[in-house]
């Protein structure tokens, strides 16, 4: 099982569900494909921050 909080498990081209900054209160998830990994640390408790191919930025909550 891949961990969305572990940077080593996130790769460009992976399908993921992220929570956008404006959706953090509601927890609404947005699905997309990872373009860039923005978090530098190897682990983040709220999820690794990524940019999707459509330009949206958020923290990975699920790896599909």
């Amino acid at each position: 099982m891949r961990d969305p909080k572990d940077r080593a498990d996130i790769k460009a081209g992976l399908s993921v569900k992220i929570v956008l900054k404006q959706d953090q209160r509601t927890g609404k998830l947005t699905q997309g494909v990872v373009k860039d990994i923005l978090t530098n640390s190897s682990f983040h408790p709220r999820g690794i921050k990524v940019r999707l191919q459509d330009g949206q930025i958020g923290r990975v909550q699920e790896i599909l």
Side-chain angles (χ1 to χ4, degrees):
M1 184 74 189
R2 293 189 254 185
D3 185 358
K5 296 174 175 68
D6 191 353
R7 191 177 192 275
D9 288 342
I10 311 290
K11 304 267 187 276
L14 210 55
S15 289
V16 295
K17 287 188 179 179
I18 65 168
V19 63
L20 302 172
K21 183 76 170 175
Q22 65 267 25
D23 295 334
Q24 283 178 345
R25 287 178 184 266
T26 64
K28 178 178 172 274
L29 297 179
T30 303
Q31 187 170 332
V33 178
V34 175
K35 180 179 180 186
D36 302 307
I37 301 172
L38 304 177
T39 299
N40 289 324
S41 61
S42 62
F43 179 85
H44 195 285
R46 290 191 307 272
I48 300 299
K49 189 179 278 189
V50 298
R51 179 182 294 117
L52 299 181
Q53 287 182 339
D54 64 6
Q56 297 184 96
I57 294 174
R59 295 194 182 275
V60 177
Q61 302 300 301
E62 293 178 34
I63 299 172
L64 304 176

